[in-house]
Amino acid sequence: MATNWTQFAFFLTITMAFLSLCFAEIRFSEMRNEVRSIVPLDEFGFTHKGRLELNVSKISISGKNSEPNLANVGFFLCTRESWNHVFQQLEDGEIDCPLRSDMVKKVLTFTSLKTLNDGNLDILYNETDADQYTLLFANCNSGSTVTMNVRSAMYNLDGKGNVRDYLSAGKTVLPRVYFLFSLSYFIIAGLWIYVLYKKRLTVFRIHFFMLAVVILKALNLLCEAEDKKYIKRTGSAHGWDVLFYIFSFLKGITLFTLIVLIGTGWSFLKPYLQDKEKKVLMIVIPLQVVANIAQVVIDETGPFGQDWFTWRQVFLLVDVVCCCAVLFPIVWSIKNLREAAKTDGKAAVNLMKLTLFRQYYIVVICYIYFTRVVFFALETITSYRYLWTSVVASELATLGFYVFTGYKFKPEAHNPYFVIDDDEEEAAAEALKLEDEFEL
């Protein structure tokens, strides 16, 4: 038994670290011959007016014992901090089931069942202690399995009129946050259209691609704002989640493609892609398809699914691979520019291009690091009441990346690369020479 608890503790620790990415809502879970002793269902940040509606139907318990101990089967709420104490109690043998711990909040046990098979249980649980809680199901009867349908709805009552708010306490402002950011991108798209019109004689195809990326990002955020707005009010997305997934998929593919195209110098340095650069796109695009499938599974099934953790790992792995893959074309462009600077006699031109691509390389790395690593770090250390701040920080970093990319690679009426005098050419050649000596 101790080994089982150790394995589950590791699983639950990792799960809780990522649960904050999911938005609580009315969730339906179907368990069929569930063998796990502990099943995490959802996580939610309660205020002092928190409520949990739990409806369990078609309950069936089977196993070695004809009469299982129903007190060992049920649902409970637990904070992340409390779980560490519960796990220690299990390891020390003080308790044999989390439902017996004084560190958890017991919501419902199967002792309330009138009949063992095909039973139904309903409860409205009031949570007055504001905190971030995880709803879990426990079955501590060794060798038994449970089959049932579970409907869980966690929400807070708005103090003004006791209106239900199905978004976690730390994320209830996210509809407004996403809407404001979507508005920002629509404004940027309008400005970009104006720039393209004013400098239409020097516009490349990639500039129209940039416009498409910005518009898709704006639509993605708008759909996410509406998605969270409906979840906040009703507990379900009413179809907005479908639009959100569609635009999220298109935004992800186009953004990574844009980074690859800019990194290769397509349209700026050359009108074509080399075979190795095409291979990068052939890797990134299918991986983005997999990443979006994983995102849908993660959001729609919830952590109770046995494959949820696997899909979560797939999503993180694919995202990391995509982020690494898009860096290679930028590195190749920097290498080619350095070699060209030594042979074509245009040291100043190539030095300026080289500087630009180096800056873009650094910015891409910072963008990836901030929106992946720093975002998760902020989610971990920030109080549950202010989890929205990590979203704001991530979106600000993304907005800054878009603005930097547009500013640095905007269409120019007079290309500064080719307005170089002899003195600048000699100075650039000397700079490249000193740089080579330094690297050697």
Side-chain angles (χ1 to χ4, degrees), residues 167-229:
L167 284 183
S168 183
K171 298 185 176 181
T172 187
V173 300
L174 283 184
R176 281 175 286 175
V177 169
Y178 286 127
F179 177 77
L180 289 175
F181 274 107
S182 70
L183 188 61
S184 300
Y185 282 99
F186 278 121
I187 293 173
I188 290 175
L191 292 174
W192 190 246
I193 292 173
Y194 174 76
V195 170
L196 296 184
Y197 175 76
K198 292 289 289 185
K199 300 184 178 182
R200 54 189 177 276
L201 297 179
T202 55
V203 170
F204 293 115
R205 286 175 293 172
I206 199 168
H207 292 123
F208 293 105
F209 195 83
M210 289 181 181
L211 176 62
V213 173
V214 173
I215 292 175
L216 287 172
K217 175 65 175 177
L219 291 173
N220 174 240
L221 287 171
L222 180 62
C223 290
E224 192 160 10
E226 290 299 320
D227 180 37
K228 300 303 175 285
K229 177 182 176 182

Side-chain angles (χ1 to χ4, degrees), residues 80-342:
R80 300 183 188 185
E81 182 180 358
S82 296
W83 176 253
N84 295 327
H85 297 287
V86 174
F87 175 64
Q88 190 62 48
Q89 289 176 330
L90 292 167
E91 285 288 285
D92 295 341
E94 297 178 16
I95 56 174
D96 59 356
C97 182
L99 290 168
R100 304 187 189 282
S101 173
D102 56 353
M103 302 300 298
V104 305
K105 298 200 172 187
K106 192 184 302 182
V107 176
L108 178 69
T109 65
F110 282 16
T111 53
S112 304
L113 280 173
K114 295 180 180 179
T115 59
L116 181 58
N117 294 321
D118 298 325
N120 296 277
L121 292 172
D122 300 288
I123 190 173
L124 174 60
Y125 183 84
N126 296 330
E127 181 54 67
T128 57
D129 295 328
D131 210 331
Q132 187 92 345
Y133 291 92
T134 302
L135 174 65
L136 302 107
F137 168 75
N139 176 17
C140 303
N141 292 317
S142 179
S144 68
T145 62
V146 177
T147 297
M148 61 181 173
N149 295 334
V150 181
R151 176 190 178 275
S152 60
M154 292 188 280
Y155 55 88
N156 293 308
L157 297 178
D158 190 338
K160 298 178 182 178
N162 284 336
V163 178
R164 294 186 179 188
D165 184 349
Y166 287 93
L167 284 183
S168 183
K171 298 185 176 181
T172 187
V173 300
L174 283 184
R176 281 175 286 175
V177 169
Y178 286 127
F179 177 77
L180 289 175
F181 274 107
S182 70
L183 188 61
S184 300
Y185 282 99
F186 278 121
I187 293 173
I188 290 175
L191 292 174
W192 190 246
I193 292 173
Y194 174 76
V195 170
L196 296 184
Y197 175 76
K198 292 289 289 185
K199 300 184 178 182
R200 54 189 177 276
L201 297 179
T202 55
V203 170
F204 293 115
R205 286 175 293 172
I206 199 168
H207 292 123
F208 293 105
F209 195 83
M210 289 181 181
L211 176 62
V213 173
V214 173
I215 292 175
L216 287 172
K217 175 65 175 177
L219 291 173
N220 174 240
L221 287 171
L222 180 62
C223 290
E224 192 160 10
E226 290 299 320
D227 180 37
K228 300 303 175 285
K229 177 182 176 182
Y230 274 95
I231 291 176
K232 176 184 174 71
R233 292 180 177 179
T234 66
S236 60
H238 293 290
W240 280 101
D241 54 341
V242 177
L243 288 174
F244 163 70
Y245 291 133
I246 291 173
F247 285 115
S248 180
F249 168 70
L250 295 174
K251 181 264 300 180
I253 286 181
T254 54
L255 176 60
F256 277 99
T257 301
L258 177 64
I259 295 174
V260 172
L261 293 177
I262 290 179
T264 60
W266 181 74
S267 284
F268 296 108
L269 305 180
K270 56 190 179 185
Y272 60 89
L273 294 176
Q274 297 177 353
D275 288 340
K276 61 181 180 180
E277 295 163 351
K278 292 178 181 178
K279 289 178 181 178
V280 172
L281 284 176
M282 291 174 64
I283 293 173
V284 168
I285 292 176
L287 285 178
Q288 279 297 298
V289 174
V290 175
N292 280 272
I293 293 174
Q295 182 185 23
V296 173
V297 174
I298 291 168
D299 291 345
E300 296 301 318
T301 61
F304 81 92
Q306 296 191 28
D307 296 330
W308 183 88
F309 188 62
T310 301
W311 278 107
R312 184 65 197 160
Q313 289 178 311
V314 169
F315 176 78
L316 293 174
L317 177 62
V318 168
D319 195 45
V320 170
V321 172
C322 285
C323 291
C324 294
V326 298
L327 293 175
F328 285 107
I330 308 177
V331 174
W332 295 334
S333 291
I334 291 174
K335 180 181 178 181
N336 292 336
L337 284 169
R338 286 181 54 80
E339 293 175 352
K342 302 174 184 177

Side-chain angles (χ1 to χ4, degrees), residues 11-24:
F11 169 80
L12 187 62
T13 300
I14 300 299
T15 299
M16 283 184 166
F18 294 115
L19 267 175
S20 56
L21 301 177
C22 303
F23 292 90

